[in-house]
Amino acid sequence: MEYWNPRIEKIPADELRKMQYKLLKMLVYRLYNFSPYYRRKFKKHNITPDDIKNCEDVSKLPFTYKKDLRDNYPDKMFAVPQQEIVRYHVSSGTTGKPTIVAYTQQDINLWTESLARSLTACGIGRGNIIQISYGYGLFTGGLGLHYGAERVGASVIPTGTGNTERQIELMQDMKVNSIACTPSYLIHMAEKAENLGISIKNDTNLKIAILGAEPWSEKTRQRIEDELGIDAYDIYGMSEFNGPMFTECSEKSGIHIWGDHMLVEVVDPKTGEVLEEGEEGELVVTTLQKEALPLIRYRTGDITELYQDLCECGRAHQRIARIKGRADDMLIIRGINVFPSQIEYVLMQTREVGKHFQLVVERDGALDKMTVRVEVSTEAFSDKINDMIALKNRIKDRLKHFLNINTEVELLEPGSLPRFEGKAKRIIDKREF
Amino acid sequence: MKEHAIKQISIFLENKPGRLARLAKAIIDSGVNILALNIAEAGDFGIVRMLVDKPRIAYEELQKKGFTVSSTDVLGIKIKNEPGELYKISKALGDANINIDYAYAYSSNSEAYLILRVSNLNESILNIQKIGLELMDSSVFE
């Protein structure tokens, strides 16, 4: 069993808890004194650093929501001056503006450290050749894994997304033995390879896959492992707290959350009440060491549970179950977060269509396909087919510009979409994970 | 010249079983008769274009029933049911640099009608009359 940082990774549970307490206390002290945003929030809730007397006292602190990041766009939640920031990433917002996340050099170092530990736990290190097929750029997946993989000494091929045939060619020619991508992209790649007469199992050296950024199931893991002859590991993260950060270990039984980086709780998504280990609820995270954008009790919206028993691998760091779903209506399409409210926002600005819409998500081969169904307004109707196709493309372009994914647009007759009294049910998700 | 602009009714339909029947029923209920009909399909939707005996009533009734409907000026050109007529018309319009957006036709034993939506209605009427062809008159419609 290999460890990247055995001193921290093998720390006994009680010592880890003590360390978390110290880090939490320091965090609250720092934010109380130096972050105008959190200072205001703490004062409003009558919290001072003295209220934190043990780890459990985290539950006295107020929650932070995605909405807070939106309301404080672009930088009002940052806890350091701009000069200290070395990088920004951008993730999609729920409506209108995106969410900007910032990193100091220390944040990047810790993010890299977190992934170095996790990748080592998945068997990736010096001598491995890893292809990173997550998007590079504003999305956190590519660069995050890139830094982590370089840190452990692997040879990194930063392929990014797309151009699948070339990716397969590189995988063969460079004797790639590890890959990081979404599970659906790996399946897509395997299918494409098969069409080219290449079997990933027999004709490549691929042995390890780090898969995430979208929901997938144990059944899909089995299928991928059997058909490709590899070990597939689940990875977890979100841009609000760096990006991808944590993976399973060789036991493949839950994702280890490095306790010196993050304190996790699971709460009832409706009441916010803290749940016991083993109970299913919404994951809430507190970043213990982040400088630029610290998060106190951030509501991730991800549904999971905390595992109680100690992992066979010897790491006492808390494990969470595979993400089971969302507490809100967020969809993940090809690894990109999509909120129905974003689509509504785009359509509201498109006069040619009505305000009702429906989203149909399905699999086109291995990849996700999202169709936005909208009703054509009488004013926008032209009896020239070209005009109608142009309208369709205009909506597609706007959605692409805003969501950064390709969608199909289906034009419907007015009145053909269901109307709702109360909460609208606009999503038809036909995917199996 | 205005009398030669014929009101065509166009309806947006989803390309799904039963949609045309729903439209056809609505037309029966409006007491309107269809003289010529054309359906253009583009993937998940289609556009039904028709000449009817009472375009104004058809338009109002269909709109009342919730259809996406529009009224468009088109030309109806009376032609002989014999070879060469389509060439004559399309050449005259092409030479005048007029684009035909779409066209459909119907014919009986001796005569036929070609229905056109064009990029320039007035210019088209002049050019069609110049080659000696007769245009349908909007007065035949209510």
Side-chain angles (χ1 to χ4, degrees):
Chain A
M1 182 98 47
E2 289 238 16
Y3 300 93
W4 173 253
N5 188 343
R7 191 180 60 81
I8 295 280
E9 289 178 57
K10 289 162 82 173
I11 192 171
D14 53 337
E15 272 184 49
L16 178 59
R17 206 68 185 158
K18 266 187 232 162
M19 185 195 257
Q20 288 186 307
Y21 162 60
K22 274 186 202 159
L23 288 168
L24 178 66
K25 181 108 183 161
M26 270 157 56
L27 173 73
V28 174
Y29 179 83
R30 176 161 61 92
L31 296 184
Y32 188 81
N33 288 293
F34 302 110
S35 156
Y37 171 79
Y38 279 110
R39 184 183 177 82
R40 223 179 310 128
K41 202 161 176 175
F42 289 160
K43 287 212 152 164
K44 200 176 141 198
H45 288 82
N46 267 326
I47 302 272
T48 70
D50 293 337
D51 292 316
I52 304 298
K53 298 190 180 69
N54 54 51
C55 252
E56 286 65 38
D57 283 340
V58 71
S59 64
K60 292 180 181 168
L61 302 174
F63 289 120
T64 305
Y65 297 88
K66 176 107 181 158
K67 185 178 179 300
D68 296 321
L69 291 165
R70 188 176 72 217
D71 292 346
N72 290 284
Y73 177 88
D75 58 2
K76 287 199 277 295
M77 271 177 75
F78 296 171
V80 297
Q82 176 269 320
Q83 295 91 309
E84 299 301 319
I85 291 169
V86 299
R87 197 196 294 170
Y88 297 103
H89 279 287
V90 179
S91 86
S92 54
T94 47
T95 164
K97 291 289 184 192
T99 301
I100 312 267
V101 290
Y103 308 73
T104 63
Q105 185 57 56
Q106 174 68 356
D107 290 336
I108 298 280
N109 293 347
L110 283 170
W111 185 11
T112 304
E113 160 76 17
S114 173
L115 277 168
R117 291 182 206 165
S118 295
L119 291 174
T120 305
C122 298
I124 293 170
R126 199 177 153 80
N128 281 84
I129 304 164
I130 184 167
Q131 184 166 340
I132 296 181
S133 308
Y134 278 119
Y136 278 74
L138 293 177
F139 180 63
T140 53
L143 281 167
L145 275 147
H146 185 102
Y147 275 52
E150 279 190 354
R151 178 64 58 87
V152 297
S155 312
V156 177
I157 309 178
T159 49
T161 53
N163 210 342
T164 309
E165 281 186 30
R166 189 162 178 211
Q167 298 225 17
I168 296 165
E169 194 184 343
L170 279 168
M171 183 182 278
Q172 277 198 301
D173 295 351
M174 298 303 295
K175 302 193 166 36
V176 167
N177 55 24
S178 331
I179 189 168
C181 59
T182 61
S184 56
Y185 188 67
L186 185 58
I187 294 171
H188 174 71
M189 202 181 231
E191 285 172 359
K192 192 103 184 194
E194 207 175 292
N195 290 340
L196 300 168
I198 299 162
S199 150
I200 300 265
K201 192 174 192 167
N202 302 318
D203 304 328
T204 75
N205 291 27
L206 196 69
K207 283 286 164 277
I208 301 170
I210 310 292
L211 307 176
E214 68 182 18
W216 58 309
S217 64
E218 220 34 59
K219 204 175 96 199
T220 304
R221 185 203 320 253
Q222 276 311 316
R223 186 186 150 199
I224 289 174
E225 293 196 331
D226 294 348
E227 288 179 15
L228 275 57
I230 62 168
D231 278 305
Y233 298 94
D234 198 7
I235 184 166
Y236 179 66
M238 55 172 52
S239 66
E240 290 90 322
F241 55 82
N242 288 343
M245 277 186 87
F246 312 106
T247 67
E248 296 171 317
C249 63
S250 52
E251 297 298 317
K252 294 180 191 162
S253 165
I255 293 160
H256 283 282
I257 307 293
W258 304 117
D260 53 328
H261 288 186
M262 220 157 78
L263 193 59
V264 291
E265 304 163 87
V266 167
V267 306
D268 183 318
K270 287 203 179 72
T271 64
E273 186 194 340
V274 179
L275 300 176
E276 296 288 311
E277 289 185 345
E279 286 187 288
E280 200 173 289
E282 182 179 352
L283 184 70
V284 170
V285 305
T286 298
T287 60
L288 291 174
Q289 297 196 58
K290 276 206 76 183
E291 294 180 337
L293 182 56
L295 293 172
I296 295 282
R297 301 193 86 204
Y298 183 69
R299 301 283 294 253
T300 63
D302 285 326
I303 301 293
T304 184
E305 65 177 280
L306 301 178
Y307 286 146
Q308 294 168 292
D309 51 330
L310 210 61
C311 187
E312 296 283 328
C313 76
R315 295 175 180 91
H317 296 258
Q318 181 78 60
R319 282 169 304 142
I320 60 168
R322 180 188 282 290
I323 301 303
K324 297 169 183 187
R326 291 284 304 174
D328 56 19
D329 55 3
M330 186 182 91
L331 290 162
I332 301 176
I333 312 288
R334 297 190 180 200
I336 307 273
N337 298 348
V338 174
F339 291 91
S341 54
Q342 295 173 306
I343 303 203
E344 188 168 21
Y345 180 82
V346 173
L347 295 178
M348 292 284 251
Q349 298 179 323
T350 309
R351 281 179 302 114
E352 298 95 324
V353 294
K355 62 178 182 290
H356 299 279
F357 67 96
Q358 197 173 52
L359 305 181
V360 182
V361 190
E362 57 208 319
R363 285 272 153 86
D364 182 12
L367 298 178
D368 297 332
K369 181 178 128 185
M370 182 168 78
T371 305
V372 180
R373 312 178 77 207
V374 288
E375 295 177 356
V376 174
S377 73
T378 304
E379 298 76 50
F381 173 50
S382 157
D383 78 333
K384 283 159 79 175
I385 295 273
N386 279 349
D387 292 346
M388 298 310 281
I389 291 173
L391 168 63
K392 225 172 163 169
N393 289 336
R394 232 167 22 245
I395 301 170
K396 261 192 214 182
D397 287 349
R398 277 181 212 167
L399 288 167
K400 163 90 190 178
H401 173 76
F402 196 77
L403 303 172
N404 204 20
I405 53 163
N406 288 313
T407 53
E408 292 297 318
V409 170
E410 201 179 311
L411 300 178
L412 304 180
E413 296 166 30
S416 54
L417 286 173
R419 263 56 170 169
F420 298 96
E421 286 179 28
K423 195 166 165 56
K425 185 156 172 17
R426 297 196 167 117
I427 303 163
I428 301 173
D429 200 336
K430 298 178 179 167
R431 295 175 295 180
E432 272 184 44
F433 297 108
Chain B
M1 214 156 4
K2 222 174 159 196
E3 68 273 17
H4 295 304
I6 310 293
K7 292 286 179 214
Q8 173 198 262
I9 299 298
S10 310
I11 303 100
F12 178 88
L13 284 188
E14 288 166 35
N15 194 355
K16 283 190 190 127
R19 294 296 169 147
L20 185 59
R22 197 175 140 250
L23 171 67
K25 180 72 172 61
I27 290 170
I28 296 174
D29 295 344
S30 313
V32 169
N33 188 35
I34 301 170
L35 306 176
L37 172 93
N38 160 268
I39 303 179
E41 119 312 327
D44 48 30
F45 70 90
I47 294 171
V48 178
R49 304 165 183 139
M50 53 175 82
L51 292 189
V52 296
D53 56 354
K54 298 167 199 156
R56 196 178 45 79
I57 292 173
Y59 180 84
E60 282 168 10
E61 287 299 310
L62 290 177
Q63 197 165 45
K64 229 180 274 173
K65 292 189 166 80
F67 287 92
T68 300
V69 51
S70 74
S71 169
T72 314
D73 286 341
V74 295
L75 293 177
I77 307 166
K78 188 175 177 187
I79 52 179
K80 290 187 203 109
N81 195 356
E82 60 182 45
E85 295 286 283
L86 177 62
Y87 172 69
K88 218 194 281 177
I89 295 166
S90 50
K91 176 142 196 331
L93 295 178
D95 288 348
N97 201 26
I98 295 166
N99 192 48
I100 300 173
D101 292 328
Y102 56 75
Y104 53 105
Y106 71 92
S107 62
S108 60
N109 289 340
S110 58
E111 61 183 23
Y113 280 91
L114 181 65
I115 296 141
L116 302 178
R117 176 170 170 172
V118 288
S119 58
N120 186 326
L121 200 75
N122 291 343
E123 281 288 310
S124 300
I125 292 170
L126 292 175
N127 279 282
I128 296 299
Q129 286 170 336
K130 215 187 285 173
I131 55 172
L133 288 176
E134 195 182 320
L135 285 152
M136 211 185 258
D137 199 304
S138 63
S139 62
V140 304
F141 302 97
E142 280 178 35

